[in-house]
Amino acid sequence: PAVSLQVGSHRDISHESLSLFRLLEPRIEILVLGTGDRVERLHPATLKQMRECGIAVEVQDTANACATFNFLMNERRVVAAGLIPP
């Protein structure tokens, strides 16, 4: 079966849906995830798998995730964002 990279809500965020971020070059240090209007908990195994790939994951509501992404970019960090609209 094909893996869907489409994420409609925080419930759709999985190791598979985050696979694109593990393929980026240069390798990202931090992935900022915005989960909509509020901070939502992600499955601990998903976060652990990303850490094992060397990618820290910051989960925030989308407005704060945008601000964090911009701050990290200004610090010249290698960062990516996955944002669910509020």
Side-chain angles (χ1 to χ4, degrees):
V3 172
S4 174
L5 300 179
Q6 298 221 343
V7 173
S9 84
H10 71 279
R11 290 178 210 82
D12 300 325
I13 298 173
S14 67
H15 186 64
E16 291 76 27
S17 70
L18 297 177
S19 62
L20 171 68
F21 295 107
R22 293 189 300 274
L23 300 174
L24 295 175
E25 289 293 333
R27 192 167 209 42
I28 63 171
E29 302 171 40
I30 304 169
L31 172 59
V32 181
L33 293 176
T35 55
D37 287 323
R38 13 178 281 195
V39 178
E40 301 288 354
R41 291 179 51 84
L42 300 187
H43 197 285
T46 301
L47 298 174
K48 182 176 184 266
Q49 290 166 329
M50 292 301 283
R51 276 194 313 271
E52 288 170 351
C53 294
I55 300 172
V57 179
E58 237 351 278
V59 181
Q60 302 177 336
D61 63 84
T62 299
N64 283 311
C66 290
T68 298
F69 174 81
N70 288 332
F71 177 81
L72 292 169
M73 285 293 294
N74 283 337
E75 288 200 333
R76 305 243 187 266
R77 302 293 296 271
V78 184
V79 61
L83 305 169
I84 296 172

